[in-house]
Amino acid sequence: MADLQPISAALEALLADVSALDAESIPLEAAAGRVLAETVTAQLDVPPFDNSAMDGYALCAADAGQWLPISQRIAAGTQAKALAPGSCARIFTGGEIPPGADCVVMQERVEVDGECALMPEDIPAGDNVRRKGRDVKSGSVLLNAGERLEAAALGHLAGQGITQVSVRRRPRVALLSTGDEIIDPGTPLKPGQLYNSNRPMLRRLLENFGAEVLSTVSVPDDYARTVALLTAAAAEADLVVTTGGVSVGEEDHVKAALEAIGQLDMWKLAIRPGKPLALGRLPRDDGSQARFVGLPGNPVSGFVGAWLFLRPLLGAMLGCPALTSLPAVTAKAGFATSTGPREHYMRVTLEFSPSGVTATAFDDQNSGVLSSCINADAFAVIPANSDIAEGDSISCLWLAG
């Protein structure tokens, strides 16, 4: 096992010389899940004026405890007039606080008689008032470059009246499946064949990680065809991902093809599952290079490899720090295990309680058992040559999209 490389070395090789892709301007309504290319500065205060947090009556706190004439009615979306001294204003949620008023009393606490209202006593100034700029102040940083635009961030931008945003171009990915025995669903199985579970799984993960999957190609167990298909994939994609074909079998042609036409940066890692994983680069006619990640063919190995390698690589291409590493959680092991010379990434669920976090491992951790990944919350990272007893403290990597 002396030739196996640690995951830290593999990540260093994978991310060497990676720079963020070009920016493009797109409509805000199409920007869900995209990554900001430029920091956005607020041009407006949010809210843009002092407004009421509820339906009630606006007044000056000094007039609390008195009967006050109702001098105006202020609905949301209308401009308030200055409050007549010694009066109150009927106001609704979101309505502008009129000049001269400094608090709002909820309507349930007010007694109304015709055009007058009795205010309760001891109303503090500022009560139930949402101040101008409470959420966002004009000139402040609204969102930083590298932020992924999910629901709240999109709302934040829309609150500034923004209709176009500058985002990183999605990394273009070619996804190649190798092996004569692997066929697509919808075709009758022949003896010795398997349906391709890697393709839809990896496509979904790649898209969740911010990529655009340009093509999905089946690669036969043929060296010349493997070379041709890798060359074609590199011509159109920023990243070429393969499954299978990177081990040492006679029909495993991907590694040999990569070495012949491109550059092999790393092969065979000290991790379980996923030892036969290849990292490298493929040349293009213009002198640039496409990144290459060759995942093992076993579906669990592909799943683990996608989270550990594809996610940070795509995060670097997108300039998105949140994607470059998985959040770590310390938990108590709800299982016992021993490892050999490879670091083990076990599929676990996490249970949170007042006493802490407990990680429960899926019973069958074999690299061909894809069901172990369906409900997994995290990977429990078990160091090489370790004996873990139930209750021991372990580190887990949370599978946060």
Side-chain angles (χ1 to χ4, degrees):
M1 295 288 184
D3 60 338
L4 298 184
Q5 300 296 315
I7 189 172
S8 58
L11 285 170
E12 183 178 352
L14 177 72
L15 301 177
D17 306 322
V18 177
S19 56
L21 297 172
D22 294 337
E24 60 183 1
S25 180
I26 64 171
L28 180 65
E29 63 185 19
R34 302 296 293 273
V35 176
L36 269 182
E38 300 174 354
T39 295
V40 179
T41 300
Q43 303 300 309
L44 303 172
D45 290 314
V46 178
F49 47 81
D50 292 353
N51 69 89
S52 177
M54 58 185 57
D55 295 344
Y57 294 83
L59 68 152
C60 177
D63 293 331
Q66 304 180 52
W67 281 94
L68 301 175
I70 302 170
S71 59
Q72 61 176 302
R73 182 179 184 276
I74 307 169
T78 62
Q79 185 173 10
K81 302 174 184 177
L83 188 67
S87 74
C88 66
R90 179 71 167 114
I91 195 167
F92 298 90
T93 303
E96 182 182 11
I97 302 297
D102 60 11
C103 62
V104 173
V105 182
M106 67 175 68
Q107 60 189 16
E108 291 84 356
R109 298 185 62 198
V110 175
E111 180 184 343
V112 178
D113 184 3
E115 294 301 314
C116 290
L118 176 61
M119 299 296 127
E121 297 182 357
D122 300 324
I123 307 168
D127 202 27
N128 298 318
V129 174
R130 294 186 293 218
R131 294 295 184 191
K132 175 182 178 180
R134 177 176 179 174
D135 186 14
V136 178
K137 293 189 182 301
S138 177
S140 65
V141 172
L142 189 71
L143 292 171
N144 286 302
E147 184 86 19
R148 201 166 188 189
L149 298 178
E150 301 298 352
L154 291 168
H156 220 32
L157 292 168
Q160 292 288 310
I162 291 171
T163 60
Q164 291 282 130
V165 287
S166 177
V167 297
R168 293 293 173 192
R169 176 175 64 79
R170 283 194 176 106
R172 297 184 294 256
V173 178
L175 180 57
L176 281 61
S177 305
T178 72
D180 289 339
E181 79 281 11
I182 305 299
I183 65 169
D184 292 330
T187 304
L189 283 174
K190 296 179 181 179
Q193 291 184 327
L194 298 169
Y195 285 126
N196 190 342
S197 57
N198 277 320
R199 180 177 290 166
M201 175 186 73
L202 291 174
R203 180 170 198 143
R204 178 61 175 164
L205 285 172
L206 286 162
E207 290 173 345
N208 279 351
F209 301 156
E212 176 188 3
V213 178
L214 294 180
S215 60
T216 56
V217 178
S218 295
V219 182
D221 289 329
D222 177 86
Y223 174 77
R225 287 290 294 148
T226 301
V227 168
L229 290 170
L230 286 177
T231 301
E236 67 170 357
D238 303 298
L239 170 62
V240 177
V241 178
T242 63
T243 56
V246 292
S247 192
V248 293
E250 293 181 4
E251 298 301 329
D252 292 327
H253 300 297
V254 172
K255 175 176 173 285
L258 173 65
E259 291 179 302
I261 61 175
Q263 174 182 327
L264 178 65
D265 292 329
M266 187 75 66
W267 181 54
K268 296 175 70 175
L269 306 183
I271 64 172
R272 176 186 176 205
K275 179 181 73 172
L277 184 143
L279 308 175
R281 307 157 197 241
L282 289 163
R284 299 191 185 99
D285 290 340
D286 62 3
S288 63
Q289 293 178 317
R291 294 285 170 155
F292 171 86
V293 176
L295 298 173
N298 283 325
V300 176
S301 298
F303 183 83
V304 173
W307 282 96
L308 296 184
F309 297 100
L310 296 182
R311 185 178 184 272
L313 176 56
L314 292 168
M317 289 179 167
L318 288 164
C320 181
L323 286 173
T324 55
S325 62
L326 289 168
V329 178
T330 299
K332 292 184 297 184
F335 56 90
T337 191
S338 297
T339 58
R342 290 185 284 161
E343 193 170 56
H344 195 179
Y345 288 76
M346 300 179 67
R347 280 74 66 207
V348 298
T349 56
L350 299 178
E351 181 181 350
F352 296 81
S353 70
S355 62
V357 184
T358 301
T360 302
F362 194 84
D363 289 339
D364 192 342
Q365 293 283 325
N366 184 274
S367 63
V369 181
L370 187 57
S371 55
S372 68
C373 302
I374 293 174
N375 295 312
D377 297 316
F379 297 140
V381 183
I382 311 300
N385 304 309
S386 297
D387 293 311
I388 301 297
E390 189 169 346
D392 283 353
S393 180
I394 58 173
S395 179
C396 298
L397 297 179
W398 204 338
L399 303 182

